[in-house]
Amino acid sequence: MPESDNLAELRARVVVVGAGPAGLAAARVAAAAGLDVLLLDAAPLPGGQVWRARQGVAAEPVARALASLAATGVRVLSGTRVVMALPERTLLIDGPDGARRLRWDKLILATGARERLLPFPGWTLPGVFGAGGLQALVKGGWPIRGRRVLVAGTGPLLLAAAATLRREGAQVVGLVEEASAVALARFAGTLAAHPRKALQAMRLGASLLGVPSNVGTRVIAAEGDGRVERVVLQGEGGRPRVVDCDALAAGWGLIPQTELAQSLGCALAMRLGALAIVVDERQRTSVDGVLAVGECTGIAGAVAAQLQGEAAGCAVALDQPARPSRRLAREHAFAAAVAARFPAPADWAARLRDDTLVCRCEDVPWSALRDQPDLRAAKLATRCGMGHCQGRLCHDTLAAVMHWPRLPVRPPLAPAPLATLLAIDQPPSHLET
């Protein structure tokens, strides 16, 4: 391969992967201490899901953060993905300027979370979305005005999604929560101890006045001729009923994105209802030089993510822990209550039919998976998890439904051109600063 085709090499004292609230906070604090910081993110603009740009315009908190980062010389690479971890503290990244090696002294993972999407009959029909996915599409300008949308699943994030959809002109025909009335009453008691969260919940509730709501109710199936036209619901002990709609936004919470951490060898453990990266009081992982912040360490919200990011920035700048944060402890206590009151459904296998697709990338139905002993056997026998998403949906489902251990992460971590992979073994052509 000619030298001009070799991979360019970047270097930074501190590399932050993920430009949501946690990553932006970590980069800001580290750079303010005089460290050389590089921040990269897969999205076209920083902000993450919480501060996602609206139709190409950065949210106000992001604009302020970027101005601060620019003033301290932080390099920001948007639209850039980590393809794999290489030896000697190096990442292979791919973005608008092509593939490059990225060397780091300290690495802060702020890789966030993804939606927990669970399959049900009809979930592959056009018009069925993840609640957060539809919210993101609408923020990006996808037309929703006048469409009838049913929001269903479990957890407080449904309120935020429904409020966004209604604000953008959707006709929200129902808000369906799986948690029981008893669980919601207990959660209301938790809110009473967290006034800011209670006020936020009241504002979201006020924005949804007039929207029919049901508790203790679950989605049985989505139906329609070529696209979703109606959704079958069932309450506890009740008869099924049908709601007509043009779109279904469904979600059952979030799952930490840990693939990069796993490929680096970081330890994981169950935390706040999901498998997350293990960190200490300095946000350090089990791997020397690697820290983790935000939702990838446990689903606790934007405020906790920012506080963790600031703590990590202090840790890499001063090599000492930040003071214990009572505010962070309160955020984690609230997150633990959310996880306890809105768990992922435990009976999901009973909701699936033989012909329900579990792996939508490879069209693998439940009947081909239910008798497999583990994920490896399921993958080898059916190609489940070998499609474009590389198991991020179907393996999440099977791990939750069948309680199967996750498979080791294998590169590439994101789709990449073949030329990028072929060039890995080539020596770097030059150093970029």
Side-chain angles (χ1 to χ4, degrees):
M1 182 176 291
E3 183 179 355
S4 61
D5 290 338
N6 292 348
L7 295 183
E9 184 172 285
L10 290 166
R11 289 184 182 177
R13 174 76 181 278
V14 179
V15 170
V16 183
V17 180
L24 288 169
R28 174 178 54 80
V29 173
L35 297 182
D36 171 35
V37 179
L38 186 148
L39 173 66
L40 65 89
D41 191 83
L45 287 174
Q49 175 64 9
V50 174
W51 293 335
R52 180 176 288 271
R54 287 183 176 272
Q55 300 187 39
V57 179
E60 184 179 347
V62 178
R64 291 198 304 268
L66 290 178
S68 173
L69 296 182
T72 51
V74 173
R75 290 171 284 170
V76 179
L77 301 181
S78 296
T80 302
R81 296 180 179 273
V82 176
V83 177
M84 66 178 68
L86 300 175
E88 299 179 357
R89 299 196 172 195
T90 303
L91 301 176
L92 176 65
I93 62 174
D94 193 39
D97 295 326
R100 287 177 284 183
R101 288 186 177 93
L102 174 56
R103 291 188 179 272
W104 50 271
D105 294 327
K106 298 288 185 179
L107 179 63
I108 301 177
L109 305 179
T111 48
R114 59 177 174 267
E115 281 193 278
R116 178 185 279 121
L117 296 176
L118 297 171
F120 52 87
W123 78 300
T124 58
L125 281 172
V128 178
F129 301 86
L134 182 55
Q135 184 183 31
L137 284 173
V138 169
K139 286 182 178 180
W142 195 77
I144 198 67
R145 183 168 298 278
R147 301 193 185 195
R148 299 169 300 168
V149 183
L150 179 68
V151 180
T154 192
L157 292 179
L158 295 181
L159 284 173
T164 297
L165 296 173
R166 197 181 202 196
R167 184 174 62 247
E168 298 299 326
Q171 180 187 350
V172 181
V173 296
L175 182 60
V176 179
E177 170 58 62
E178 287 203 16
S180 67
V182 172
L184 290 177
R186 289 174 177 169
F187 183 64
T190 300
L191 282 173
H194 296 267
R196 291 184 180 180
K197 304 290 186 185
L199 180 59
Q200 184 181 21
M202 290 173 61
R203 287 172 176 168
L204 288 173
S207 71
L208 295 170
L209 285 176
V211 173
S213 62
N214 299 92
V215 300
T217 302
R218 66 188 190 184
V219 172
I220 299 299
E223 300 176 344
D225 183 12
R227 62 169 296 107
V228 64
E229 296 173 339
R230 54 195 171 274
V231 176
V232 182
L233 305 173
Q234 186 171 28
E236 297 176 0
R239 298 177 60 182
R241 64 185 184 89
V242 176
V243 175
D244 294 331
C245 60
D246 303 311
L248 168 63
W252 290 269
L254 301 174
I255 300 174
Q257 298 206 106
T258 62
E259 286 79 12
L260 177 54
Q262 287 177 266
S263 71
L264 291 164
C266 300
L268 305 182
M270 290 297 295
R271 187 178 189 218
L272 303 176
L275 199 62
I277 306 170
V278 176
V279 293
D280 65 10
E281 72 283 352
R282 302 188 189 188
Q283 301 301 133
R284 298 177 302 184
T285 71
S286 60
V287 175
D288 182 49
V290 180
L291 298 85
V293 295
E295 305 284 60
C296 61
T297 69
I299 309 303
V303 173
Q306 288 178 274
L307 293 171
Q308 286 182 306
E310 292 169 358
C314 287
V316 297
L318 305 175
D319 197 27
Q320 64 184 31
R323 294 188 212 175
S325 170
R326 290 185 179 181
R327 190 178 181 192
L328 180 57
R330 283 180 58 81
E331 292 295 323
H332 281 156
F334 181 79
V338 171
R341 303 306 177 207
F342 304 98
D347 63 342
W348 203 266
R351 307 186 190 189
L352 302 175
R353 299 194 304 234
D354 282 354
D355 62 349
T356 303
L357 291 181
V358 174
C359 176
R360 61 192 306 170
C361 295
E362 296 292 331
D363 290 335
V364 182
W366 174 237
S367 60
L369 295 166
R370 62 185 177 191
D371 295 326
Q372 299 294 335
D374 54 35
L375 274 177
R376 183 176 298 281
K379 185 175 182 179
L380 292 174
T382 69
R383 291 187 56 83
C384 175
M386 296 179 71
H388 186 77
C389 86
Q390 291 292 286
R392 282 172 173 81
L393 295 182
C394 56
H395 285 191
D396 283 348
T397 295
L398 292 171
V401 172
M402 304 296 285
H403 308 291
W404 288 342
R406 297 300 300 258
L407 294 175
V409 172
R410 298 178 63 182
L413 301 176
L418 183 58
T420 296
L421 304 179
L422 292 175
I424 292 172
D425 292 331
Q426 299 299 318
S429 59
H430 58 282
L431 175 65
E432 294 185 10
T433 59

